[in-house]
Amino acid sequence: MNRRTPWHSTVLNRIPGGRDGRRMLVVSIIDKTGTGLWAGCTVLYLTYVSGLGLGQVGLLMTISGGVGIAGAPLAGRLADRFPLVRVIVGAQLMRAAALLALLSTDNFLLLTLYSALGALPDRAGSVLIKLYAARLAGPDRVRYQAIQRTTVNIGWSIGGLGAAAALATGSTHAYALLLVGNVLSYLVIAVLTLRCAEPPAPSRIAAASETAGDRTAATPITPWRDRTFLAYTATDAALFLDDTILQVAIPLWIVHATAAPVGLAPLLLVLNTVLVVIFQVPLARFGATAEAARRLLVPLAALFVVGTLALAASAAGGRALAITALVVAVIALTFAEIVHATSSWELSVALAPAEAQGAYLGAHGLAQSTQRFAGPLLVTGVMTAGALAWPLLGLGLVAAGAAQHRLIRDRIGKPSLSVAPVTVSEH
């Protein structure tokens, strides 16, 4: 008699990358649970525990954010030269050490130094996980990244709820406990990551291919001389702006420009998280190839237009109109976030030569890091200009998407350099 495969085994078998892929997903959810514990109270810790003033906190965050921009390209370079698993573990331990060091001092300069040192591996983390997914899951990398992003959102939610419960006690000791909780999460994931197998490096596959005579054309070995890739990265930095609009602009816009209740802000963030968890994996199939990912730039432009028009409309009337328009804006911008994430994952890998995949993905990591650093300044400028500035920003994002669509047209028509040109047997 045939026995049916348990449903949980069926689900696990659908995750690309096998056992190591599943382990890295566990690493991601623990990582973001710990980060969720700490991220929401970082500024509060610096204010109430370390005793910094508002200007000092702002300067510290600006400096650490600026230093963190270098984390992505630095990690990509290291990943091309050293075993990827060890680089990931090193970044995790560095994050733990830098965060734990905050407990040792109230000195502004030292707190800034430790925060900046922690920002380097923090910004490198997403690049290293993307690189691991690309090497481990191969052509299924987009689906794996979609699943990984879903687990990230679940982890953020769990950590955020834990932080809210701890802070509800009203004790300043809760801030230190949340910090230590995040440090412990880094130590746990470092141990788990060491149990993951090192994926085959594309550079070795490319070298084998060249030996066999399969490669006839030389490709750039550094992204800094690849004008097409640098231009692609610049346009992608603009398209990552949905993150700042959702996380920074909308809460401030609710308070300063609309008749919507302040309590709507956290509910809209919950809506964003729920939509990402539900739709990220199903929609990933529409960006499974480079050409398909390029086509996603068209609906992405439409979503940006709808989202920014809705934000403008939210300031044009009373409470009911404001709430309705803000919900529409968040839905449109969340789907823009989902679509862009899917497109960006595939295109950034497909445009990267195998010999320098880590360096290229590290350079591409500058897009998101730069947006996180400059995005808040840009959106606050838009809000200061008034409601009509939102559609203008939307048109700017459409222009960035159109430029990217045309820019990579000829590049992705060539065989993808990110897919192994020879077969590697599993073992």
Side-chain angles (χ1 to χ4, degrees):
M1 181 177 65
N2 293 331
R3 295 183 177 179
R4 292 184 178 180
T5 303
W7 68 268
H8 54 83
S9 297
T10 302
V11 172
L12 291 177
N13 289 334
R14 293 184 63 186
I15 298 175
R19 180 179 298 176
D20 292 312
R22 295 193 293 270
R23 283 177 177 167
M24 196 56 74
L25 291 179
V26 174
V27 166
S28 293
I29 196 169
I30 295 175
D31 181 4
K32 295 308 176 183
T33 298
T35 303
L37 288 174
W38 172 245
C41 68
T42 304
V43 174
L44 298 177
Y45 174 88
L46 294 172
T47 301
Y48 294 117
V49 178
S50 299
L52 300 186
L54 180 61
Q56 289 178 310
V57 172
L59 181 59
L60 181 150
M61 300 297 286
T62 300
I63 293 174
S64 60
V67 172
I69 291 176
L74 178 60
R77 272 293 186 189
L78 292 174
D80 277 338
R81 300 185 178 188
F82 302 99
L84 179 56
V85 169
R86 294 182 186 178
V87 176
I88 295 174
V89 171
Q92 292 163 344
L93 293 177
M94 185 175 175
R95 291 165 76 189
L99 189 58
L100 192 61
L102 295 180
L103 290 174
S104 67
T105 183
D106 292 334
N107 181 272
F108 170 70
L109 292 179
L110 287 177
L111 288 171
T112 302
L113 173 63
Y114 298 148
S115 297
L117 290 175
L120 285 169
D122 183 64
R123 295 294 185 268
S126 60
V127 171
L128 294 173
I129 294 300
K130 181 197 289 187
L131 188 56
Y132 191 88
R135 293 182 179 180
L136 186 71
D140 291 327
R141 57 181 174 260
V142 172
R143 177 175 173 80
Y144 183 84
Q145 283 282 76
I147 296 172
Q148 192 268 344
R149 192 162 188 263
T150 300
T151 63
V152 163
N153 277 273
I154 293 173
W156 270 109
S157 300
I158 295 172
L161 290 173
L167 295 179
T169 63
S171 171
T172 56
H173 295 296
Y175 300 118
L177 291 176
L178 292 172
L179 184 154
V180 172
N182 194 14
V183 170
L184 291 176
S185 73
Y186 291 147
L187 298 179
V188 170
I189 62 176
V191 173
L192 292 176
T193 302
L194 285 173
R195 298 185 61 190
C196 294
E198 179 71 21
S203 55
R204 298 172 190 166
I205 296 174
S209 178
E210 287 177 353
T211 301
D214 292 337
R215 286 287 299 277
T216 58
T219 56
I221 60 173
T222 172
W224 311 113
R225 297 179 181 176
D226 189 335
R227 294 181 180 179
T228 298
F229 191 83
L230 291 177
Y232 161 74
T233 299
T235 57
D236 227 29
L239 297 181
F240 272 117
L241 199 62
D242 58 77
D243 180 64
T244 298
I245 296 174
L246 286 165
Q247 301 293 330
V248 178
I250 288 181
L252 292 175
W253 187 248
I254 289 174
V255 174
H256 294 287
T258 78
V262 176
L264 181 65
L267 296 179
L268 292 177
L269 292 178
V270 171
L271 174 61
N272 166 257
T273 301
V274 170
L275 289 176
V276 171
V277 169
I278 294 175
F279 291 105
Q280 187 72 73
V281 174
L283 293 181
R285 67 179 184 272
F286 295 107
T289 66
E291 183 55 43
R294 177 173 174 263
R295 288 196 295 268
L296 286 178
L297 294 172
V298 176
L300 175 62
L303 289 167
F304 275 130
V305 170
V306 172
T308 51
L309 285 174
L311 283 174
S314 68
R319 184 186 182 100
L321 175 61
I323 293 174
T324 302
L326 286 166
V327 170
V328 171
V330 168
I331 291 174
L333 291 170
T334 299
F335 277 99
E337 176 187 354
I338 293 170
V339 169
H340 177 240
T342 300
S343 173
S344 182
W345 291 333
E346 175 59 26
L347 292 176
S348 60
V349 177
L351 293 171
E355 299 92 327
Q357 193 179 67
Y360 268 69
L361 292 185
H364 179 260
L366 288 173
Q368 195 164 17
S369 297
T370 301
Q371 184 279 140
R372 288 178 179 175
F373 178 68
L377 181 62
L378 175 60
V379 297
T380 51
V382 169
M383 287 187 288
T384 301
L388 293 180
W390 284 118
L392 294 178
L393 177 62
L395 291 177
L397 295 174
V398 169
Q404 186 176 117
H405 189 274
R406 180 176 179 80
L407 181 71
I408 62 177
R409 178 183 58 189
D410 296 332
R411 182 77 164 256
I412 65 173
K414 302 175 182 178
S416 174
L417 297 173
S418 62
V419 178
V422 294
T423 302
V424 180
S425 59
E426 294 185 355
H427 54 83

